[in-house]
Amino acid sequence: SQKIEQNSEALNIQEGKTATLTCNYTNYSPAYLQWYRQDPGRGPVFLLLIRENEKEKRKERLKVTFDTTLKQSLFHITASQPADSATYLCALVLMDSNYQLIWGAGTKLIIKP
Amino acid sequence: DGGITQSPKYLFRKEGQNVTLSCEQNLNHDAMYWYRQDPGQGLRLIYYSQIVNDFQKGDIAEGYSVSREKKESFPLTVTSAQKNPTAFYLCASSVSREGNQPQHFGDGTRLSIL
C-alpha cells in the first residue's frame, strides 16, 4: 500500500540545537517533495521544495535532504529558536497523478528556551 | 498585500443544511484548491481548478461542490449529503498546477455541526 509517514509524536528540542524531522514514504515515486510550516489555527506556509535528483537544499537555517533510495526526506533547522515551534508538514508531488500533492500528517516541533 | 482570504473563520451547520465557504485570492494564480484537514491526518484534496470555468474532483469530492466563475474566487459548498462535515477546511492557490509551484494557503474555515 502507499503511505507517507511523519513522526506523530511531538519533538522537543532545546533552543540552539538542531531539530531534525523525518518524512518517510512507500510505493510512491515523487518528482518533488515540499515542506510546509503550520501554526495553530492557520494555513500551511511553504518553506522549501526539493527535486528527485537533488540530494540537498538549503535556505538560511533550513536544510532538506531527499534520498529516493531510502524513500526519505530529512528536514533540519539549525540554531533552533522558540519561534520555530510549529507543526511541519511534508508533501510528495506525483507527476504521474497530474502533480497531485500527497500530504503527511505533520510533526509538532517544540523548541524549549 | 497579496494573499488568500477565507471566510468565515468559524461556521456552524444544521442538519440538512448546505453551507458555502468563501475563498478569494489576489495573487493572480491560475490554480486553486480545496483541502480538508482532520486531526492526525494529512490534508486531503476535495476539488481543484486549473483555470476559470473548469474544476476537477479530488480524492474526497462526495458531498461537496465548487464553482470557478472568476479567477479570484473558488467557493466550496458543503451539502447535506456530506455526513461528516466537521473539519478544518483550507483553500490554496498556485501559479499553475506544475509540480515545482508552491501552494499558498488561506487561514482556513472551521466547520462544526450544531
Side-chain angles (χ1 to χ4, degrees), chain B residues 95-108:
Chain B
V95 170
S96 70
R97 192 148 163 80
E98 295 294 318
N100 60 348
Q101 297 298 322
Q103 295 190 5
H104 300 256
F105 285 82
D107 277 338

Side-chain angles (χ1 to χ4, degrees), chain B:
Chain B
D1 277 344
I4 296 185
T5 301
Q6 290 188 241
S7 63
K9 193 166 179 64
Y10 300 95
L11 187 57
F12 297 91
R13 195 190 88 170
K14 295 179 183 177
E15 289 288 337
Q17 186 181 43
N18 294 351
V19 292
T20 297
L21 285 60
S22 171
C23 177
E24 303 279 331
Q25 55 102 356
N26 60 3
L27 299 166
N28 200 32
H29 286 172
D30 283 323
M32 296 188 74
Y33 313 83
W34 274 105
Y35 290 98
R36 171 179 172 142
Q37 188 173 36
D38 294 283
Q41 297 189 41
L43 276 66
R44 291 184 289 168
L45 183 65
I46 304 172
Y47 269 98
Y48 68 93
S49 168
Q50 298 186 79
I51 198 166
V52 174
N53 292 323
D54 181 67
F55 49 83
Q56 306 295 329
K57 292 182 179 180
D59 297 323
I60 56 166
E62 186 174 348
Y64 301 97
S65 65
V66 293
S67 62
R68 187 88 187 274
E69 298 176 1
K70 298 187 298 181
K71 188 175 186 177
E72 304 81 18
S73 179
F74 192 40
L76 173 75
T77 296
V78 183
T79 74
S80 57
Q82 172 49 246
K83 297 307 179 188
N84 183 24
T86 298
F88 190 48
Y89 290 87
L90 289 160
C91 178
S93 71
S94 60
V95 170
S96 70
R97 192 148 163 80
E98 295 294 318
N100 60 348
Q101 297 298 322
Q103 295 190 5
H104 300 256
F105 285 82
D107 277 338
T109 293
R110 191 165 297 277
L111 176 62
S112 303
I113 298 299
L114 277 179

Side-chain angles (χ1 to χ4, degrees), chain A residues 14-28:
Chain A
Q14 197 66 38
E15 182 178 6
K17 302 292 186 185
T18 295
T20 298
L21 287 72
T22 304
C23 178
N24 294 304
Y25 60 94
T26 58
N27 294 327
Y28 286 116

